[in-house]
Amino acid sequence: MSACCTPGRTCAGPAGHAATRELLPLPTVRTAPPPHPAVELPGGTFRMGDAFDEGYPADHEGPAREVTVAPFAIDATAVTNARFADFVTATGHRTDAERFGSSFVFHLLLHPAAERHVLGRVPQAPWWLGVTGASWHAPEGPGSDLEGRADHPVVHVSHDDALAYCAWAGVRLPTEAEWEYAARGGLDGARYPWGDELTPGGREMCNTWAGDFPYRSDRPGGRTGTVPVTAYAPNGHGLYNTSGNVWEWCADAFGPGERVIRGGSYLCHSSYCNRYRVAARSHNTPDSSTGHGGFRTARTLLPEGPAPA
């Protein structure tokens, strides 16, 4: 299975050509960020990886093994458009999508006004369009905006953008082990954050594709795309949308020149990409951005020591 279900600037195609453009230096922080709310977790040992042998071999999900994480805190939700806007206002940060001049937009989401800005399609995944002017504040290309989506996850952010946000907010990206420990919500080896059934009792639990991928959405009005970060029920640790909605950057390297992404997105579907499972993982280059890629942040917690004498 090609990693171009999350297309990057190294994927063949016109949008990748922008990677040769000279980049501007990142701005310095000018104002202090507001407090960053998060769920505090005690850490411990858990079973990490695919316990059902359902993953793609190239993703290296297995074997399931015991992993120990130290106490840490992690966002209950992905970073929202509103919070990312605070960061941009405070720092003047320009995302990689803005500095390169383009990003990847799912074809059914392209804004009509952006049709003339399409650079081309990704050959391995032609439902992805390279679009000039697509960015976090114009997620469907020129002509689109964030009206009504302040509480949706920010998208079109690269790993480098996420690190810049973390530096401003005084946090960091979660390690892959921390991410999976938190995403499991305390369930041992379960397929999803809520258990082993995708739709227990017929109840939809996450924002993934419904319909004939990638041609037709069966949701009301043919809707697809992101939903608010608190949509659907949280897991046992109080985290929302650790399956579906948007891919989330982690701190870890996947391989040379690539970083791990976790959680799947609104485009995952059993007929093409079942990476909405809690053990699933994929990867992209740190300068890449897409219309289904975001992040949440974490921070280290110091273990409680003895009371002072």
Side-chain angles (χ1 to χ4, degrees):
M1 177 62 61
S2 168
C4 277
C5 66
T6 54
R9 299 197 185 276
T10 55
C11 284
H17 296 170
T20 61
R21 297 180 186 173
E22 183 179 357
L23 297 183
L24 300 173
L26 294 175
T28 56
V29 173
R30 291 200 293 265
T31 59
H36 209 267
V39 175
E40 295 188 356
L41 297 174
T45 301
F46 75 106
R47 268 201 305 162
M48 181 174 178
D50 177 18
F52 298 90
D53 195 26
E54 295 174 330
Y56 303 107
D59 289 350
H60 307 295
E61 292 181 23
R65 67 277 187 197
E66 288 193 347
V67 173
T68 300
V69 295
F72 68 102
I74 189 168
D75 294 349
T77 72
V79 174
T80 63
N81 286 315
R83 193 164 186 89
F84 198 79
D86 289 341
F87 158 63
V88 170
T89 299
T91 66
H93 179 79
R94 293 181 67 224
T95 61
D96 277 339
E98 292 167 297
R99 301 197 294 165
F100 282 121
S102 67
S103 192
F104 292 99
V105 176
F106 182 62
H107 70 132
L108 295 185
L109 290 175
L110 183 71
H111 192 278
E115 291 181 1
R116 62 189 179 91
H117 297 281
V118 174
L119 296 168
R121 296 177 182 268
V122 175
Q124 307 97 310
W127 46 89
W128 281 113
L129 308 176
V131 180
T132 300
S135 71
W136 73 274
H137 56 82
E140 290 83 42
S144 63
D145 57 37
L146 298 177
E147 184 177 356
R149 290 187 281 185
D151 60 349
H152 284 226
V154 66
V155 294
H156 294 292
V157 287
S158 69
H159 190 270
D160 296 335
D161 296 327
L163 290 181
Y165 175 94
C166 288
W168 169 74
V171 291
R172 59 175 173 80
L173 289 178
T175 68
E176 186 175 10
E178 288 172 337
W179 190 97
E180 185 168 328
Y181 173 90
R184 288 190 173 279
L187 298 181
D188 179 28
R191 183 177 281 113
Y192 307 111
W194 54 86
D196 289 337
E197 296 183 39
L198 180 60
T199 55
R203 182 185 180 191
E204 185 178 70
M205 302 294 290
C206 64
N207 180 27
T208 54
W209 186 266
D212 179 17
F213 183 85
Y215 308 107
R216 187 196 74 250
S217 170
D218 286 345
R219 296 191 181 279
R223 178 187 65 80
T224 187
T226 60
V227 297
V229 294
T230 55
Y232 303 97
N235 71 7
H237 287 326
L239 274 70
Y240 292 84
N241 295 333
T242 53
S243 282
N245 215 22
V246 294
W247 285 100
E248 299 179 6
W249 290 107
C250 290
D252 305 56
F254 184 92
E258 294 185 305
R259 295 289 175 172
V260 171
I261 53 176
R262 297 296 301 260
S265 80
Y266 58 82
L267 296 181
C268 285
H269 188 262
S270 59
S271 67
Y272 172 71
C273 169
N274 70 351
R275 292 187 177 98
Y276 45 82
R277 295 168 297 103
V278 74
R281 61 200 300 264
S282 193
H283 52 98
N284 213 334
T285 58
D287 59 354
S288 294
S289 59
T290 67
H292 68 344
F295 69 106
R296 72 179 71 208
T297 72
R299 58 184 170 85
T300 302
L301 294 178
L302 297 177
E304 293 184 5

